[in-house]
Amino acid sequence: MKDHQVIGNDKLQGIAVSPGIIIGKARLVDRSREKIVYQYLIDDSEISKEVERFKEALDATKEQIVTLKNRMSDQIKEHAFILDTHLMIIDDSMITDSTINTILDQKINAEWALKKSVRKIRQLFEKIDYEYIRDRINDVENVAERILRNLSGKEMESLFEIDERVIIVAHDLSPADTSELNTSKVMGFITDVGGRTSHTAIMAQALKIPAVVGLESVTSLIQDGTLIIVDGYIGEVIIGPDDDTIIAYQEKEIQHERYRSSILQLSHLPSETVDGHKIAIKANIEFIEEVVAAKEYGAEGIGLYRTEFHYLQKKKIPDEEELFEAYKEVVEKISPAPVTIRTLDLGGDKILSNNESPGEANPALGLRSIRLCLKERDIFKSQLRAILRASAYGQIRLMFPMISGLQELLDAKQILKEVMDELEKENVKYDRDIKVGIMIEVPSAVTLADVLAKHVDFFSIGTNDLIQYALAIDRVNEHVAYLYEPYHPAVIRMIRQVVKVAKEADIDVSLCGEMAGDPLCVSILVGIGIDELSMNAGGVPLLKKIIRSISREEAMADLQDILALNTAKEVRQFIEKRIEPLMPDLQEKDFYMKVSIDKSTH
Ligand code: PEP
Ligand code: MG
């Protein structure tokens, strides 16, 4: 494999996920979850201290749970009983007395003694016939995990509080971590794990900070304070660079800046192929603040508003009023252009915090997105109310993510109808003709597209997840990142099928995965007949430039040749030959071409 290896004494190769070059001090942060517990024996003289340490951890855990409970918003207050249960667990003698007795009798450390207590409780619970009670072991384990963290004395370092200019080096960063980065201080980040379309990567682009992921062991190779260079165009990290190298990279960045401003001048020209076919180019946003940049870059609206980042940033479930204000601000700022607001897509790699994750074995296949919303109806309804209320202030389209079949769509629409009826009764203004659509990002939705099309106004193809699910490649796993292939013939055929079905059903169809902003993919998509692409705002000017230099007729003819190719490698080589002359001889080309060149070795 070409990725991830050390390619010089001091150079590492990872996956470039957010462009730009930064030179600065490394700041190592630990975001790992406390998982490994060791057993060790303690001397008689240390026993009472160990018991005390355990009691202090119990008190700290109680305090944290009470704080969590007090912070619960009104809508989820009814779930406060879960935290009450957790408080009761802490006080239960099966946890406290049993652990203390084990420390006293067996002279072992508190962590191990606690593990033993939990194991005993688990064995007892497993014998119980009632599923509900059996499942409560999860609560016990959740509490035990908190106690363990407190025993280790490790508070999670708040990334928001970092107050010097640094480059973050971490094993992993969750999208929630990334959302709290203070970008006036944090210049960028690099991680051991992660893939090109992980949400952490997408966030880095939204925050406009360079990032390289999938470096495998960078946290063990770099020390806190080391000077490093991060090249977010080609995924290189240079550790301890000499003066000449620093100057060379500074020059590269200056060249890039020059090139960017030349491209920006073109961003407000119409997005039209040379044979006069219009392709709407819109922006994906995660934060309200991005609307301004989207307009500056020449986006013709917001094609995907990923609403979950608002929840991640606040670290709690926001109330309806707060959501309404946020959506109203977005729609008013982008007006008269439209915004497609996607309902909550939490779960998978987007979780509020490690402590609150249900600990699923396969989060990407678990209780995420629309599934979570259909289960947590109050949270869902309050978001729908906020979106509908904001629809009175501009053009909003509403979109459900991760629909895998008709029933799920009908259930979601039924809840939407209930919310509309409520608003009607309350005489609250909203757009009664609001367009309702779905993301096509699960292979079953592709197969069933003709059925789904009868119930919606539009489709938006989410290739980040579609590729993940169709090719069985975890989008956040660096070990399989090299297989993540937008040029895979199966992916191209799926997109083609969805577009064909949408056109036959006469509904709008767009594409909003990372593939939309990949200059190498654009002619394939134009050839397929996509009329709208939505991407990271920063990618809009370059995409427009490419669209303005290709012909739709030629793209359609090329597509016939492409459909006759059997491997992703052949497709990529075909398209590279076509697009290379249109690509500038600069970093954007590095950024996109390097990804494909690396992949072509597989
Ligand atoms: C997608 O899956 O392609 C998509 C646009 O949504 P997200 O990246 O937020 O999962
Ligand atoms: Mg998705």
Side-chain angles (χ1 to χ4, degrees):
M1 235 167 76
K2 205 168 169 194
D3 280 347
H4 323 307
Q5 58 193 352
V6 178
I7 54 177
N9 281 337
D10 46 9
K11 253 189 205 175
L12 298 175
Q13 179 69 58
I15 304 165
V17 295
S18 185
I21 289 170
I22 39 174
I23 303 167
K25 260 194 328 189
R27 173 69 176 272
L28 268 103
V29 298
D30 175 17
R31 315 305 290 169
S32 57
R33 210 167 158 181
E34 214 54 45
K35 271 200 184 123
I36 306 166
V37 169
Y38 296 100
Q39 181 192 28
Y40 54 89
L41 295 174
I42 46 177
D43 288 346
D44 286 342
S45 61
E46 288 169 337
I47 291 181
S48 58
K49 242 179 36 203
E50 194 64 6
V51 171
E52 212 34 56
R53 194 167 74 88
F54 178 61
K55 286 185 176 164
E56 279 168 16
L58 288 180
D59 288 344
T61 309
K62 261 192 220 170
E63 221 172 276
Q64 288 157 1
I65 295 178
V66 170
T67 313
L68 266 182
K69 202 179 140 195
N70 293 340
R71 274 205 221 135
M72 274 185 143
S73 67
D74 288 346
Q75 288 138 296
I76 54 165
K77 269 253 148 57
E78 61 182 283
H79 299 289
F81 74 91
I82 297 171
L83 296 182
D84 287 330
T85 315
H86 288 191
L87 289 170
M88 274 154 58
I89 292 170
I90 299 176
D91 284 333
D92 197 297
S93 63
M94 288 187 61
I95 288 280
T96 48
D97 296 355
S98 151
T99 306
I100 291 172
N101 288 337
T102 309
I103 298 173
L104 295 173
D105 296 345
Q106 301 181 19
K107 300 180 187 167
I108 55 171
N109 56 318
E111 289 88 346
W112 199 261
L114 175 63
K115 280 265 171 193
K116 282 190 156 203
S117 305
V118 174
R119 203 177 312 142
K120 257 191 267 166
I121 300 173
R122 171 177 277 288
Q123 282 162 358
L124 273 180
F125 273 43
E126 277 168 359
K127 294 196 187 108
I128 297 172
D129 271 345
Y130 293 105
E131 195 184 338
Y132 178 79
I133 298 182
R134 233 179 18 237
D135 284 351
R136 299 285 62 77
I137 187 63
N138 294 335
D139 293 319
V140 176
E141 283 177 343
N142 196 310
V143 169
E145 196 171 309
R146 265 183 196 280
I147 302 173
L148 281 176
R149 183 166 277 286
N150 284 315
L151 274 171
S152 76
K154 266 194 195 164
E155 285 263 323
M156 282 266 215
E157 181 185 11
S158 166
L159 300 183
F160 184 73
E161 281 158 21
I162 290 179
D163 62 357
E164 39 168 359
R165 298 278 291 161
V166 287
I167 299 171
I168 289 195
V169 182
H171 175 66
D172 192 11
L173 288 179
S174 71
D177 289 331
T178 317
S179 72
E180 69 170 5
L181 292 179
N182 175 355
T183 49
S184 68
K185 298 292 179 198
V186 173
M187 301 158 74
F189 65 80
I190 56 178
T191 60
D192 289 336
V193 302
R196 197 161 142 68
T197 63
S198 64
H199 286 97
T200 298
I202 290 169
M203 296 278 285
Q205 291 176 30
L207 296 168
K208 297 202 188 67
I209 52 173
V212 174
V213 303
L215 287 153
E216 296 206 332
S217 51
V218 67
T219 45
S220 53
L221 295 170
I222 290 182
Q223 316 220 315
D224 206 64
T226 308
L227 185 71
I228 56 173
I229 299 179
V230 175
D231 184 336
Y233 300 110
I234 57 172
E236 273 178 9
V237 172
I238 293 115
I239 307 170
D242 59 25
D243 291 350
D244 288 345
T245 311
I246 293 177
I247 292 168
Y249 275 86
Q250 280 170 335
E251 271 171 10
K252 188 174 175 184
E253 188 57 355
I254 292 169
Q255 253 182 315
H256 164 73
E257 283 302 329
R258 252 189 237 132
Y259 168 65
R260 269 211 88 64
S261 45
S262 74
I263 276 235
L264 258 177
Q265 289 166 2
L266 307 172
S267 63
H268 289 276
L269 294 174
S271 162
E272 221 174 72
T273 59
V274 288
D275 46 353
H277 188 80
K278 253 198 89 31
I279 310 284
I281 302 281
K282 295 185 180 164
N284 294 347
I285 62 161
E286 287 75 31
F287 308 109
I288 304 174
E289 297 76 22
E290 288 177 274
V291 178
V292 178
K295 278 173 133 176
E296 274 171 18
Y297 284 125
E300 299 161 48
I302 306 297
L304 168 65
Y305 178 12
R306 290 184 168 99
T307 53
E308 47 284 354
F309 291 94
H310 193 82
Y311 295 63
L312 293 177
Q313 228 180 2
K314 302 272 165 184
K315 295 204 174 84
K316 67 174 180 73
I317 308 291
D319 62 27
E320 179 189 324
E321 217 42 47
E322 190 178 332
L323 291 173
F324 164 67
E325 289 299 336
Y327 302 157
K328 179 167 170 271
E329 192 177 334
V330 168
V331 73
E332 285 181 341
K333 275 198 174 137
I334 197 72
S335 194
V339 48
T340 300
I341 303 188
R342 178 176 75 183
T343 60
L344 253 190
D345 190 22
L346 276 180
D349 61 337
K350 292 178 286 195
I351 51 173
L352 287 178
S353 87
N354 275 339
N355 291 338
E356 285 146 36
S357 91
E360 299 175 304
N362 286 309
L365 305 181
L367 189 61
R368 60 167 287 209
S369 196
I370 194 73
R371 302 166 183 183
L372 187 69
C373 287
L374 292 175
K375 188 155 180 269
E376 302 286 342
R377 295 197 172 202
D378 290 347
I379 296 175
F380 191 32
K381 276 187 156 181
S382 109
Q383 185 185 34
L384 290 175
R385 279 181 65 96
I387 297 173
L388 286 175
R389 284 173 58 198
S391 72
Y393 297 84
Q395 263 199 75
I396 290 185
R397 304 198 307 173
L398 189 147
M399 175 159 78
F400 299 124
M402 230 196 140
I403 293 291
S404 63
L406 181 61
Q407 194 56 54
E408 231 166 14
L409 171 59
L410 294 179
D411 290 349
K413 283 184 73 175
Q414 173 58 30
I415 297 176
L416 178 65
K417 175 155 187 324
E418 283 167 27
V419 172
M420 284 178 164
D421 290 347
E422 270 172 36
L423 293 178
E424 206 80 52
K425 265 197 216 126
E426 294 165 26
N427 265 327
V428 177
K429 279 192 301 181
Y430 71 93
D431 175 7
R432 287 189 177 76
D433 300 319
I434 188 165
K435 297 266 182 287
V436 177
I438 55 173
M439 303 257 327
I440 300 284
E441 51 184 350
V442 182
S444 56
V446 175
T447 316
L448 217 60
D450 55 329
V451 175
L452 298 169
K454 296 194 181 100
H455 300 268
V456 293
D457 299 308
F458 66 93
F459 286 158
S460 188
I461 306 173
T463 45
N464 301 340
D465 277 316
L466 187 59
I467 296 172
Q468 152 164 277
Y469 296 127
L471 305 185
I473 294 152
D474 181 350
R475 63 193 269 194
V476 300
N477 182 340
E478 72 282 8
H479 300 295
V480 289
Y482 71 100
L483 288 171
Y484 197 92
E485 251 329 338
Y487 316 97
H488 196 294
V491 173
I492 295 172
R493 287 182 197 198
M494 284 187 178
I495 297 172
R496 186 164 170 260
Q497 188 183 339
V498 175
V499 173
K500 187 166 164 277
V501 169
K503 299 223 157 166
E504 278 164 11
D506 198 21
I507 63 170
D508 287 345
V509 56
S510 58
L511 192 143
C512 64
E514 292 304 285
M515 194 175 168
D518 181 343
L520 291 187
C521 290
V522 66
S523 80
I524 303 180
L525 299 174
V526 170
I528 285 176
I530 287 263
D531 295 320
E532 180 181 320
L533 297 170
S534 190
M535 67 207 62
N536 182 283
V540 170
L542 180 63
L543 247 276
K544 269 198 183 174
K545 187 173 178 223
I546 305 247
I547 285 176
R548 289 175 60 78
S549 41
I550 59 174
S551 127
R552 184 175 188 239
E553 209 173 303
E554 272 172 28
M556 287 169 86
D558 278 353
L559 182 71
Q560 293 315 312
D561 294 339
I562 289 170
L563 289 171
L565 302 172
N566 295 324
T567 66
K569 187 174 170 183
E570 286 167 4
V571 173
R572 212 171 36 237
Q573 283 169 347
F574 180 98
I575 212 72
E576 272 171 9
K577 258 199 227 116
R578 279 277 187 273
I579 296 293
E580 199 161 8
L582 308 176
M583 297 287 285
D585 189 29
L586 269 168
Q587 283 89 346
E588 260 86 359
K589 182 172 155 192
D590 285 353
F591 183 46
Y592 291 102
M593 294 306 239
K594 183 71 193 308
V595 174
S596 36
I597 289 162
D598 276 354
K599 284 177 179 172
S600 62
T601 60
H602 299 291

